[in-house]
Amino acid sequence: MFSQQLIYSTALLGLSTAYATPRATLSDDGFPDPNAQQLLSIEQQADGLLSNLPPPPTLSQAGIANFQLIAFNENLEVQFFEDIISNITNHVPGFESFKSSTYSEAAILEILKTVKAQEELHAITAITTLEHFNAPLVPKPCTYRFPSTTLEEAITLAETLTAVVLGTLQDAEQSFAKNGDDGPVRAVSSVIGQEGEQNGFYRSILNRKPSEKPFLTTNVAAFAFSALQQFVVSCPFDLTQIPIPIFPALNVLTTAEARDMYLSFSADLTGNPQISEGSDFASLFVTYLVGQQLPISEPVINPKFDGGVLTFDALFPFTENLMSGLSIAALTNSSNFANADALVANTLAAPGLIQVNEVLLPNHKAGNYSRFASYPSRHV
Ligand SMILES: *[C@@H]1O[C@H](CO)[C@@H](O)[C@H](O)[C@H]1NC(C)=O
Ligand SMILES: *[C@@H]1O[C@H](CO)[C@@H](O)[C@H](O)[C@H]1NC(C)=O
Ligand SMILES: *[C@@H]1O[C@H](CO)[C@@H](O)[C@H](O)[C@H]1NC(C)=O
């Protein structure tokens, strides 16, 4: 059975600095400020128009923060897909089509061009909403660096990023409901379905079952914003103007498998005033978000604190909780959370993104779909 996990570590970022100079952020299609003709071209490539519904009459402060995060994330996704398209087009080694895929290179390229155009329209929608409400900050595209060096790694990362977004948009909808922002709900729901279609495709070409779970893993805005930081080289605005906290990364050091097992974690807690050599680390927890379960907290064991970095283990309780697909881990200083949003105030480091996926044999025959291939584990 295939299990794959993402390791967000300073080592990874250190490695990334060896990459070529990050690309300029402005696409040749005019994004993020296309003129009318360029917008039409984007819409034609996206197979649909921007919404022409009037903007909602009001938007709460929380609603503005939701759209700031959506714009920040969509800008990043546009550049991510632009980079993959450019790597395929320029025959960068590793970006040939999957050998196991039933799609030709031309088909994959066309699909990704359409995804990129669709992400551009998502971004433009968030940007124009923020502009309409005179938001104090409208995120512009940043300069990014991505760790993937093959098409398969890039699609694997696309799948995880999209799964994180699918959890985060649940949080946005919850926030809209709580704050009386009924205006954007229908449009944002249409994007949730759209991103789910994308992920079904990514999962298919990765030889995973297209539909991940009965109820997709939830997430919170702060964990999404924190996770995206590792791809950012620099931004033409002050990130702290987006009123969403950024946590230290929770690095997952063990490859998770589809069984109960202990995972090792590390987190750099330098600068956390609550933490010192004398802290009671055994009173901390790893709290997992998975599906629509109440947050699952497991006590930290074997804590070692050295130079501000805490290393520890915690149970990954797969069997009882059927943790297939994405699990999102946080280092917390309490347990028994009533819901995902309650985690944020008690989080010290997050998120750790953990994926466990069954993989169908690439050359399976009818009637043999329940077999699993083992893949080399890789770090995204
Ligand atoms: C494009 O290729 C370069 C060179 O291998 C790589 O560093 C970069 O991460 C790739 N971009 C994406 C989005 O995979
Ligand atoms: C738990 O962590 C939060 C966030 O760092 C902090 O504000 C709070 O004081 C901590 N509580 C305890 C009991 O350490
Ligand atoms: C089913 O998968 C198993 C394990 O990989 C393999 O040995 C067997 O030949 C496959 N059967 C068919 C009908 O493909």
Side-chain angles (χ1 to χ4, degrees):
M1 192 171 292
F2 172 58
S3 72
Q4 179 262 322
Q5 126 204 35
L6 305 176
I7 297 194
Y8 292 97
S9 65
T10 49
L12 178 72
L13 291 177
L15 186 75
S16 304
T17 55
Y19 297 160
T21 315
R23 296 163 46 79
T25 49
L26 201 69
S27 304
D28 52 12
D29 58 11
F31 179 83
D33 301 305
N35 61 32
Q37 184 55 47
Q38 288 169 322
L39 178 60
L40 181 60
S41 304
I42 293 172
E43 290 171 328
Q44 283 165 341
Q45 180 67 64
D47 294 330
L49 299 176
L50 276 179
S51 168
N52 59 2
L53 295 171
T58 59
L59 191 62
S60 70
Q61 292 292 331
I64 294 213
N66 289 335
F67 275 107
Q68 286 172 327
L69 176 59
I70 291 172
F72 177 79
N73 174 66
E74 296 288 2
N75 283 340
L76 181 146
E77 291 205 28
V78 167
Q79 189 63 45
F80 177 61
F81 288 108
E82 165 96 358
D83 272 15
I84 301 175
I85 292 164
S86 148
N87 283 355
I88 295 173
T89 310
N90 295 320
H91 308 291
V92 170
F95 283 80
E96 304 85 11
S97 290
F98 296 142
K99 290 176 185 60
S100 62
S101 170
T102 50
Y103 291 86
S104 66
E105 181 181 292
I108 289 187
L109 206 47
E110 181 59 20
I111 289 167
L112 293 175
K113 283 181 179 173
T114 295
V115 166
K116 183 196 141 197
Q118 291 166 340
E119 300 292 4
E120 287 179 331
L121 297 182
H122 297 168
I124 288 169
T125 302
I127 290 166
T128 51
T129 303
L130 290 168
E131 286 170 349
H132 176 80
F133 288 102
N134 295 314
L137 173 76
V138 181
K140 296 241 178 303
C142 301
T143 308
Y144 312 99
R145 188 167 42 222
F146 300 104
S148 34
T149 55
T150 65
L151 181 56
E152 191 172 357
E153 283 176 2
I155 298 294
T156 303
L157 179 55
E159 197 276 339
T160 293
L161 287 179
T162 306
V164 168
V165 167
L166 284 165
T168 312
L169 291 178
Q170 297 170 29
D171 199 46
E173 297 282 54
Q174 184 76 41
S175 162
F176 290 142
K178 209 167 164 176
N179 293 287
D181 290 327
D182 66 311
V185 169
R186 193 183 296 264
V188 170
S189 303
S190 81
V191 171
I192 295 176
Q194 201 279 340
E195 301 275 347
E197 290 182 323
Q198 287 187 42
N199 242 16
F201 170 70
Y202 306 141
R203 293 180 58 84
S204 290
I205 61 172
L206 293 167
N207 296 314
R208 303 174 186 173
K209 289 180 266 187
S211 53
E212 179 187 335
K213 298 181 73 63
F215 303 99
L216 294 181
T217 295
T218 200
N219 193 19
V220 291
F223 294 178
F225 195 43
S226 301
L228 295 174
Q229 300 306 317
Q230 66 174 315
F231 306 114
V232 173
V233 177
S234 63
C235 290
F237 57 89
D238 178 8
L239 275 171
T240 61
Q241 286 182 42
I242 298 180
I244 299 174
I246 297 174
F247 291 110
L250 178 58
N251 305 305
V252 189
L253 307 176
T254 317
T255 300
E257 295 169 18
R259 60 182 175 89
D260 293 341
M261 62 188 292
Y262 283 86
L263 302 180
S264 296
F265 297 86
S266 75
D268 186 344
L269 302 176
T270 309
N272 185 327
Q274 317 276 335
I275 296 295
S276 66
E277 295 284 344
S279 295
D280 179 12
F281 296 112
S283 68
L284 301 178
F285 298 85
V286 169
T287 299
Y288 298 96
L289 297 176
V290 61
Q292 295 291 321
Q293 301 304 295
L294 287 169
I296 301 160
S297 294
E298 295 291 344
V300 158
I301 60 168
N302 301 327
K304 292 179 195 67
F305 189 64
D306 186 14
V309 176
L310 182 65
T311 310
F312 56 93
D313 302 327
L315 183 66
F316 178 62
F318 181 92
T319 312
E320 185 186 349
N321 301 291
L322 297 179
M323 299 168 84
S324 289
L326 177 68
S327 298
I328 299 177
L331 177 63
T332 60
N333 63 11
S334 61
S335 59
N336 294 317
F337 294 102
N339 55 53
D341 285 317
L343 248 68
V344 177
N346 290 82
T347 291
L348 283 70
L353 303 180
I354 298 166
Q355 288 257 17
V356 175
N357 289 288
E358 298 173 350
V359 170
L360 305 167
L361 273 178
N363 54 355
H364 57 69
K365 295 193 171 68
N368 211 4
Y369 283 79
S370 61
R371 296 285 174 183
F372 309 121
S374 68
Y375 265 52
S377 77
R378 36 178 190 272
H379 303 158
V380 170

